[in-house]
Amino acid sequence: MDFTPSDAQQAMVGLADRIMGDHLDMGRHLAVETAGGWFDRDLWEDLASAGLLGIALGTDVGGSGLDVVALALLLGVQGSHVAPLPLLPSSVAAVIVDQHGSDEQRHRLLPDVAAGGCILTVAVQEFLDDRLSQPSVTFKDGLLHGTKVVVEHLDAASLILVTVRGPDGPRCVLVDPMAAGITRVEGTSTRRQPVWEVTFEATPAEPVGDDTTVGDLLDHLRLGISATQLGVTERALSMTAEYTSTREQFGRPIATFQAVGQRLADQFVNVGGIRLVTLSAAWRLANGADATEDLLVSKWWASERATDVANATQHCHGGMGVAVDYPLHRYTLWNKHLTASLGAGTQSLRALGDHLAR
Amino acid sequence: MPIASGATGTVTAMSNTHRQASDDTSADDAAFVARVEAFHAEHCVRIDDPAGSDAGSDDPDGLTAARSYQGALTDAGLAGLDLPNEYGGAGLTAHHQELFTRAAAAWHRPDSPLSISHGMCLPMLAQFGTHEQKSTHLPGVIRGTSIWCQMFSEPGAGSDVAGLSTRAVLDGDEWILDGQKVWTSGAHYCDHGLVVARTDPTLPKHQGLSMFIVDLRSSGVEIRPLVQISGAKGFNEVFFSDVRVPAANILGDVNQGWNLAVSMLMFERVSIGAGGGALNAKRHPELIQLARDLGRSNEPVIRQALAALHISEEIKGYIGQRIRSAVAAGRVPGPEGSIAKLTGALVARQARDTAMAIVGTAGQAFGRRGDGNELDQRATAGRKWSGFCVSAAGISLAGGTDEVQRNIIGERVLGLPREPDPFKGAPWQDIPRN
Ligand SMILES: Cc1cc2nc3c(=O)[nH]c(=O)nc-3n(C[C@H](O)[C@H](O)[C@H](O)COP(=O)(O)OP(=O)(O)OC[C@H]3O[C@@H](n4cnc5c(N)ncnc54)[C@H](O)[C@@H]3O)c2cc1C
């Protein structure tokens, strides 16, 4: 295992960081937030033109042929800029289609995903059942029945990758959001993003992959969430280091109070842990090794420790950490959203316990 | 470790008071409690009734509800309990206030928009106001027709509030106020503010401050609401430019503002950590119910978190009771206020984490359009606790941060040596600031 990014990965990270950094200033964030939709389409197009929307897809379908480690690093960059984009659900769904779909499906869908024209989203969460790998939405005779929640970017997506229970067990299917029998209820997530409850009643769907596909989708989503949180926490911490070094009270920088400095040092250790468990999980996934344990560890660690980082960085900003005029609040809200994605830390802990003690 | 002897004495005195208060079951007390209960049965929803909720101060309906509750309470002779009739109070005692707090804790009271006005400004006015000031202002404050806010923090003075730079200069029989306050909770709906300003920059920082009663509708006052991370418009920036304040509106004496500020911070800490409002309601009963509703009450991890929260809330309850008993016995709370406030902040965070573990995925949801299916219960719970989750951090900041409380406990309760201050005794105007 070597977590040093390759030259190709480093170049990709540098490019993505420059594009997002140049594009997203405070005014741009406000403009996108005011417009609603939580989606910076111009930035999406810039990323598409730079070839960053298909980095982990095969070269035969318009991708760059890098692995999911590269995708994890890219999601980290998104997190560090808190960029409102459908990058996580779309890229993960595309990787699943690439790895599990038929050749026909790959060639029909993926070139357009890499080019930025086709956005994918995922529907895996259910309100009344936290056992993600045992979905209760049914798929029988080509038709879907049931409800999914917290579906992101439904308004922008061309297709939804849905986890379902088929006659032979858990499966993934693709659904057109405009298909018959779909009702949607819009809500708002903690990070002010529109999210939907989607109910299917005899909705036509197209199967993708086999009995391993749901597990692989969940694995990649867990990775994507932790990778995004890595970027979010790393940047929140560096912002806080800078703020506390310049903010003065009692005639000195507040970072010189040991209660502040030591708490931030603890957060550095937390972020370092998020980085290592996330990259380890990514490396295992990319190399076909069993990553289940690493992914549960990383989801739990990222959830719990990212919450610590969010609390500490917010607190050390004093009132600034509570006001929306100051950029830190986005990092706090993203952390909360991501921590609750696919269930809070306790759910990962329970799943990990099942996995270890079985 | 040497424990300051004063502090030990304090603890003993308070526990005695507490015992007396809780053993006192006279018929008068029972009749009074019955009145409190009858009033709330008529006007409020019980805390364990899921239909009830405490509307935020942000909401105009919340303000109307607060005013009408407080008006009715005043008409019923149940407001300003320990204040004399001549100032609009009920003419009873602090002991009645404690009985009220305990009895009323069982109800959702829509008075959170008044918490600063009543928990902090009113006791200041009652304790330090002149007869004139009390006659003019107390009746309206008690009734809630006049709402007050606390104006201490500035962009350059938060934890180091004594370093503040808003200036007040005497001009004939008026003070002229210039400067900026920030994070002022409720200023956007308040009538008056208690403002701390610098009246003598040549004195050391704690010695050149005074406290003023400022009419927020005076010309030269500009209030700009700031949006909080929870989405609420809870606090404000307030700008003073050449605001003229009548000389009679000084509270206490000139350059005695720091002593008053410390008293007010104590009232604030007691109010945040041991007050009777929504902030101090025990949260574990509601969370236990939530875990049952969501089918998670059998999970060992959740059960342990709930048990731990129960323990913390019991202890926090005792700390609050001890302080309120001391107040009921006529004592002005000292650094115990910091203990209550710190405990309150820590327990709020524990409740937040427990709630998030219970709501799980639903904790992602903030709001939801549409209505009428069985998922609503989860969505509503998710939304409610999500809101609590993102605002809980504020409890660790407002009224002095956790670190500031710990410093006070270290120095004033444990008697640890103070942190060296290189600027001690220097005139405020000679201290560098950014
Ligand atoms: C929800 C909310 C409501 C508020 N309402 C009001 C109000 O109505 N009226 C009002 O006047 N103010 C109000 N405040 C302001 C509040 O009192 C200040 O935010 C608080 O005192 C901290 O000041 P600051 O924000 O300037 O942070 P700073 O003082 O800049 O502190 C930043 C960080 O440094 C730490 N720090 C600072 N000094 C030390 C030290 N000596 N040792 C260790 N750590 C230290 C702090 O703990 C904090 O984590 C409110 C704040 C909030 C969040």
Side-chain angles (χ1 to χ4, degrees), chain A residues 247 254 257 315-316 318-319, chain B residues 150 152-153 158-159 183 185 401 403 407:
Chain A
R247 164 76 172 167
I254 54 176
F257 294 112
H315 185 74
C316 291
Chain B
Q150 174 206 32
F152 285 18
S153 306
S159 296
W183 321 128
S185 300
T401 68
E403 288 70 27
N407 285 343

Side-chain angles (χ1 to χ4, degrees), chain A residues 62-140:
Chain A
S64 319
L66 299 178
D67 58 15
V68 294
V69 177
L71 179 57
L73 294 172
L74 178 64
L75 289 167
V77 177
Q78 183 198 6
S80 75
H81 291 282
V82 288
L85 300 170
L87 194 59
L88 169 57
S90 193
S91 309
V92 167
V95 164
I96 296 303
V97 171
D98 195 17
Q99 292 175 6
H100 291 257
S102 67
D103 247 10
E104 186 278 322
Q105 285 171 324
R106 294 178 65 245
H107 285 279
R108 169 159 50 96
L109 300 173
L110 299 181
D112 213 14
V113 171
C118 172
I119 291 167
L120 305 178
T121 190
V122 296
V124 299
Q125 301 190 159
E126 297 178 7
F127 258 141
L128 300 174
D129 181 2
D130 298 317
R131 289 169 304 144
L132 293 161
S133 54
Q134 300 294 326
S136 72
V137 169
T138 60
F139 179 59
K140 210 171 149 235

Side-chain angles (χ1 to χ4, degrees), chain A residues 127 185 188 192 247 336 341, chain B residues 155 229 363-364 366 369 378:
Chain A
F127 258 141
V185 179
T188 318
R192 311 286 185 260
R247 164 76 172 167
K336 179 168 173 301
S341 296
Chain B
I229 190 166
Q364 242 179 344
F366 219 68
R369 288 180 213 147
R378 262 210 163 189

